[in-house]
């Protein structure tokens, strides 16, 4: 059996340090907004190369809080890719903004700056660039569009912890970024967690307030806030894992390049390997026969996943978006297949998966 993801195997090398960190939190008896969260926020800000990281409850809240802190609301339009996890869209509709879905580039499966530009109206306030599957969007081109039209450029970096563009990393490539630390992400905790990163001091202050009932000073509530905090236990786990992130991303890239060698010459469409700008949160191949391949892999004891089988505009919750013409997003949803890829996956497992696929595709 090769499972699609294996949390036990991924955390095993860090197990002793995680156990100690958890015991340390219990010893200190501080579990919310204590020293571990403050320390992890400082570490993660330094790692991303920004002035501020603010720990929040999850990736969805990270994005929602950014939009809310910028004061966006009803009547404001936010452009984002149509082929994303539903959380990107939920963040926008949660505060009453209108999501404007961009059909992705069929090659990179990322936001196409030309399409983005064509969707800008007088009501557009922001662009959310989703670094899907761990690959960075063209942030120079998107930054240029944002500057020319006076828009906020927000990164959805939930799949791209550590991805690098020259000396700069995901989280430092726009005005603000939302991260998720959901356990399967490149940097994951043992439950829900997230963070906002930014160089904007005022935005950081506002998000610190919003995440904690609109308060920085006890019993003084300056704005209408929410409760969305990264807790001490999750922060302690993340502090253990952060120093290993670059090494684990290197391992992900090595496995992706092994898949690439072994699957070349099949009928599968393989992802571009990229450079340090791709941290392979997911290794996603494409095939018109995706469902047959998936069933055959399953029968051979190999777990796979689909990110995502039903795009947001085809979900019952977003019936109002279903009339938008998004042929590339619809095509991709029928063809994408995520193969196992995590830092504890072995070369032998990749070879086994490729062998099964080569006999099929
Ligand atoms: C995981 C993910 C999110 C949401 O993160 P949660 O912590 O699960 O709320 C948002 N956007 C993308 C692209 C994701 O992959």
């Amino acid at each position: 059996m090769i499972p699609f993801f294996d949390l036990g195997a991924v955390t095993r090398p860090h197990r002793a340090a995680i156990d100690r960190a958890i015991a340390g939190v219990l010893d200190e008896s501080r579990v919310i907004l204590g020293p571990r969260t403050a320390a992890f926020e400082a570490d993660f800000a330094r790692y991303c190369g920004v002035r501020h990281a603010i720990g929040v409850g999850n990736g969805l809240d990270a994005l929602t809080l950014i939009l809310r802190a910028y004061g966006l609301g009803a009547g404001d339009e936010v452009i984002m890719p149509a082929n994303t996890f539903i959380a990107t869209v939920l963040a926008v509709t949660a505060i009453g903004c209108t999501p404007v879905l961009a059909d992705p580039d069929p090659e990179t499966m990322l936001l196409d700056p030309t399409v983005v530009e064509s969707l800008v109206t007088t009501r557009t306030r922001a662009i959310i660039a989703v670094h899907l599957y761990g690959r960075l969007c063209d942030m120079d081109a998107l930054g240029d569009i944002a500057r020319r039209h006076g828009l906020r450029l927000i990164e959805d970096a939930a799949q791209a912890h550590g991805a690098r563009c020259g000396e700069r990393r995901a989280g430092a490539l726009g005005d603000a970024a939302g991260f998720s630390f959901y356990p399967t992400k490149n940097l994951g905790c043992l439950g829900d967690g997230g963070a906002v990163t930014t160089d904007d001091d005022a935005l950081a202050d506002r998000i610190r307030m919003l995440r904690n009932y609109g308060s920085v000073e006890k019993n003084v509530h300056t704005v209408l806030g929410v409760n969305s905090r990264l807790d001490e236990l999750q922060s302690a786990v993340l502090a253990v894992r952060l120093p290993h992130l670059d090494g684990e991303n290197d391992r992900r890239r090595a496995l992706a390049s092994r898949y690439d060698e072994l699957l070349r010459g099949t009928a599968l469409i393989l992802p571009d390997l990229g450079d340090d700008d791709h941290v392979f949160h997911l290794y996603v191949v494409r095939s018109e026969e995706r469902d047959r391949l998936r069933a055959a892999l399953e029968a051979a004891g190999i777990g796979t996943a689909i990110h995502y089988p039903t795009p947001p505009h085809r979900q019952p919750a977003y019936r109002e978006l279903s009339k938008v013409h998004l042929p590339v997003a619809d095509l991709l949803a029928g063809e994408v297949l995520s193969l196992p890829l995590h830092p504890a996956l072995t070369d032998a497992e990749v070879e086994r998966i490729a062998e099964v696929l080569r006999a099929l595709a």
Side-chain angles (χ1 to χ4, degrees):
M1 257 314 282
I2 304 177
F4 176 68
F5 180 75
D6 186 344
L7 184 65
V10 169
T11 50
R12 197 165 299 124
H14 316 299
R15 181 60 194 262
I18 290 172
D19 286 348
R20 273 195 306 279
I22 290 173
V25 172
L26 275 177
D27 289 343
E28 289 154 14
S29 295
R30 292 278 303 276
V31 290
I32 301 280
L33 294 183
R36 305 258 174 172
T37 300
F40 172 71
E41 287 175 337
D43 286 352
F44 193 60
R46 200 174 313 112
Y47 176 84
C48 293
V50 290
R51 293 160 60 86
H52 307 280
I54 304 107
V56 297
N58 53 66
L60 169 59
D61 284 357
L63 294 170
T64 310
L65 288 170
I66 293 168
L67 297 168
R68 192 189 287 253
Y70 276 138
L72 271 61
D76 294 334
E77 294 178 358
V78 180
I79 299 172
M80 75 200 69
N83 60 328
T84 184
F85 181 52
I86 196 156
T88 321
V89 195
L90 285 173
V92 169
T93 52
I95 58 158
C97 293
T98 304
V100 176
L101 302 176
D103 218 16
D105 178 319
E107 297 283 315
T108 64
M109 302 191 262
L110 300 175
L111 268 186
D112 178 339
T114 314
V115 174
V116 170
E117 178 110 49
S118 75
L119 295 172
V120 174
T121 73
T122 53
R123 289 177 302 279
T124 309
R125 295 288 172 270
I127 300 167
I128 304 182
V130 182
H131 304 313
L132 195 71
Y133 308 147
R135 185 174 184 187
L136 294 178
C137 296
D138 183 345
M139 295 303 284
D140 289 338
L142 294 173
D144 181 57
I145 295 168
R147 253 186 316 280
R148 279 189 285 108
H149 297 280
L151 313 176
R152 307 285 188 185
L153 179 56
I154 298 162
E155 295 172 82
D156 179 341
Q159 303 190 356
H161 317 66
R164 236 190 304 236
C165 171
E167 291 303 297
R168 294 155 67 231
R169 282 187 197 273
L173 305 174
D175 296 307
F179 283 91
S180 165
F181 303 124
Y182 185 77
T184 59
K185 310 285 182 174
N186 290 38
L187 180 62
C189 58
L190 298 178
D192 279 312
V196 172
T197 57
T198 184
D199 273 326
D200 181 335
D201 298 344
L203 184 78
D205 284 348
R206 204 163 165 81
I207 287 174
R208 280 185 201 287
M209 208 184 281
L210 285 171
R211 73 168 170 181
N212 189 35
Y213 306 115
S215 167
V216 269
E217 186 186 333
K218 200 166 174 58
N219 295 320
V220 180
H221 301 271
T222 316
V223 293
L224 299 176
V226 298
N227 174 8
S228 183
R229 303 169 300 208
L230 184 66
D231 67 54
E232 290 287 289
L233 278 171
Q234 302 305 343
S235 301
V237 171
L238 290 164
V240 169
R241 295 203 56 191
L242 180 59
H244 303 283
L245 177 58
D246 283 343
E248 292 185 350
N249 282 342
D250 288 345
R251 177 69 187 148
R252 286 173 181 273
R253 273 193 292 270
L255 290 165
S257 103
R258 191 78 185 109
Y259 268 130
D260 190 77
E261 285 163 24
L262 295 167
L263 296 174
R264 285 257 151 237
T266 65
L268 298 172
I269 300 177
L270 305 178
D272 250 15
L273 289 177
D275 208 342
D276 284 358
D277 64 330
H278 202 328
V279 290
F280 283 97
H281 171 58
L282 296 168
Y283 188 82
V284 178
V285 300
R286 286 173 55 192
S287 168
E288 286 173 19
E289 298 194 83
R290 187 265 312 278
D291 295 331
R292 178 178 73 88
L293 298 181
R294 186 165 198 226
L297 286 163
E298 183 70 39
I302 297 163
T304 59
I306 300 174
H307 299 87
Y308 298 91
T310 308
H313 69 282
R314 299 287 174 209
Q315 294 289 352
Y318 281 127
R319 226 161 289 137
E320 74 274 16
L321 297 175
S322 65
K323 284 176 215 75
V324 193
H325 186 56
L326 297 160
V328 179
D330 285 331
L331 174 80
L332 293 177
E335 294 191 347
V336 290
L337 178 65
S338 306
L339 302 181
L341 183 83
H342 57 76
L345 195 71
T346 65
D347 288 359
E349 287 173 321
V350 169
E351 283 152 22
R352 167 78 188 131
I353 296 160
E355 179 189 298
V356 173
L357 271 171
R358 290 185 67 89
L360 293 166

